[in-house]
Amino acid sequence: MTDQFPQFTDSEIASLRGDRIDVSPKQPYAMLVEPERNASGEVIDVATIFLTNRECPFRCLMCDLWKNTLTETVAEGDIPGQIQFALDQLPAAREVKLYNSGSFFDRKAIPPEDYAEIATLVRGFDTVIVENHPKLCSDACETFRDLIAPAQLEIAIGLETCHPELLQTLNKGMQLSDFDSALRRLHDLDIRTRVFLLQSLPYLTKDEAIDWTLRSIDYALDRGVSCCSVIPTRSGNGMMETLVSQGKFSLPTSASLETVAELGLQRKSGRVFIDLWDCERFFLCDHCRSRRVERLRQMNLTQTVLEPIECPHC
């Protein structure tokens, strides 16, 4: 690694953490239903269940998902119980996301003994979307694909960026070759893929950050990924605040998110979403904030670039 893109250890990243949130292995820590444009171009309701399980073994530089995790593997039956709990509370939906703050096929997170019962609960959905690290795309992916049939299995992978040096700085425990290999294997198994990308990364200027997000969208779509979800990089895990204080990282701006959305949608070879969770913090103008966020929401749903918002105040 170069001085420009240093390498951090797991212990350095963990040393800056705060406290975990108290969560129960008997319930998901969050759940919601929201509209999303699916692979067929329809806008449908998608249920997202945020499963409570053991912390991910990878210590990514920017991650704060560990806050809602446990220190031990859940007992057999806990994960199906969490899914049933959520489905009993949520309105009907066509697709379901089983997100677990790590990798679904991490045996210490989701016990494989639960796969069959999980499949019974979700095979009635059109699509079942789980998140997974490229290095954990094992034979279990094929096993679970078969168990949930006729539902389509889709695996979401945190690529974050295709910048090779910066990918190492993020401490993802992967290289681009690992990502490419996982995609080839999954696509050969008729498992659909999506990626998470980050807008605004440490050690990049604002212009470089936009450029590399767009390059990363191209990188993923060129390899057959069905959609790219661009997540504004947030502070809140200790390490990112440290990098802000050192002048090595700045939060994404509303302008950068709008630019990535506009230029990303022009690719037209796959869906491009801007993740809008808690995104109001990046839109600083009180006069146009809600209109700008709604514009991005509609662009996510329509996959078309809408007229920009004009605001005399900003």
Side-chain angles (χ1 to χ4, degrees):
M1 299 297 291
T2 66
D3 291 339
Q4 184 182 0
F5 300 108
Q7 181 71 65
F8 297 93
T9 65
D10 288 1
S11 58
E12 286 177 305
I13 295 169
S15 68
L16 297 171
R17 289 180 172 184
D19 296 328
R20 295 175 191 267
I21 296 170
D22 187 24
V23 292
S24 168
K26 304 300 181 183
Q27 293 184 10
Y29 69 86
M31 52 187 168
L32 55 87
V33 170
E34 59 186 355
E36 183 175 290
R37 190 179 183 93
N38 69 7
S40 300
E42 298 176 88
V43 176
I44 62 168
D45 284 335
V46 179
T48 304
I49 305 172
F50 297 91
L51 300 169
T52 302
N53 62 174
R54 180 172 171 153
E55 180 185 347
C56 177
F58 299 97
R59 299 289 185 271
C60 299
L61 186 80
M62 66 294 165
C63 183
D64 64 356
L65 297 177
W66 50 267
K67 292 180 179 180
N68 292 294
T69 60
L70 304 165
T71 56
E72 301 294 335
T73 301
V74 294
E76 186 176 339
D78 280 347
I79 296 300
Q82 291 183 37
I83 295 171
Q84 185 66 71
F85 177 89
L87 295 179
D88 288 344
Q89 312 296 318
L90 294 171
R94 291 262 304 273
E95 298 188 352
V96 64
K97 297 174 181 175
L98 303 177
Y99 286 174
N100 68 302
S101 303
S103 294
F104 188 87
F105 298 108
D106 174 2
R107 298 175 64 90
K108 293 184 178 180
I110 311 290
E113 294 78 12
D114 282 337
Y115 289 173
E117 189 174 354
I118 293 171
T120 299
L121 294 169
V122 301
R123 68 166 60 97
F125 289 93
D126 294 349
T127 306
V128 178
I129 305 164
V130 302
E131 53 190 347
N132 206 57
H133 192 280
K135 287 189 176 179
L136 296 178
C137 289
S138 63
D139 292 343
C141 299
E142 183 176 7
T143 298
F144 192 68
R145 178 206 65 181
D146 293 343
L147 285 170
I148 67 170
Q152 168 71 50
L153 178 59
E154 181 172 311
I155 294 182
I157 298 176
L159 171 60
E160 324 305 0
T161 181
C162 70
H163 190 305
E165 292 82 17
L166 190 49
L167 191 61
Q168 298 308 301
T169 291
L170 295 181
N171 203 44
K172 292 285 299 180
M174 60 177 269
Q175 299 180 7
L176 292 176
S177 58
D178 298 313
F179 175 79
D180 293 350
S181 177
L183 283 196
R184 286 193 296 269
R185 181 175 189 183
L186 295 174
H187 293 165
D188 284 345
L189 293 171
D190 293 321
I191 295 172
R192 200 158 57 214
T193 56
R194 67 171 59 197
V195 296
F196 300 123
L197 301 174
L198 292 174
Q199 173 51 36
S200 190
L201 284 166
Y203 303 100
L204 297 180
T205 66
K206 291 181 180 180
D207 287 344
E208 288 172 338
I210 292 172
D211 178 56
W212 276 103
T213 300
L214 294 170
R215 290 195 199 189
S216 299
I217 290 172
D218 290 337
Y219 188 93
L221 295 179
D222 286 348
R223 285 158 177 75
V225 167
S226 73
C227 84
C228 300
S229 181
V230 179
I231 301 172
T233 309
R234 299 171 174 88
S235 55
N237 71 345
M239 174 57 81
M240 300 311 291
E241 285 87 344
T242 298
L243 293 176
V244 168
S245 69
Q246 296 173 350
K248 305 298 185 182
F249 170 68
S250 58
L251 293 172
T253 63
S254 58
S256 70
L257 296 175
E258 290 171 327
T259 298
V260 167
E262 292 161 5
L263 297 180
L265 286 173
Q266 292 178 14
R267 269 60 180 169
K268 296 188 180 301
S269 55
R271 292 165 291 158
V272 176
F273 301 137
I274 302 296
D275 188 294
L276 297 178
W277 179 81
D278 194 30
C279 74
E280 287 80 6
R281 69 161 84 176
F282 307 114
F283 293 78
L284 304 182
C285 178
D286 293 336
H287 299 278
C288 65
R289 177 186 298 113
S290 60
R291 288 185 293 141
R292 289 184 183 279
V293 172
E294 182 58 25
R295 174 177 179 258
L296 289 179
R297 193 182 317 279
Q298 292 305 315
M299 286 168 62
N300 282 345
L301 295 177
T302 63
Q303 291 296 285
T304 57
V305 179
L306 302 179
E307 287 296 317
I309 302 296
E310 300 293 339
C311 177
H313 302 280
C314 67

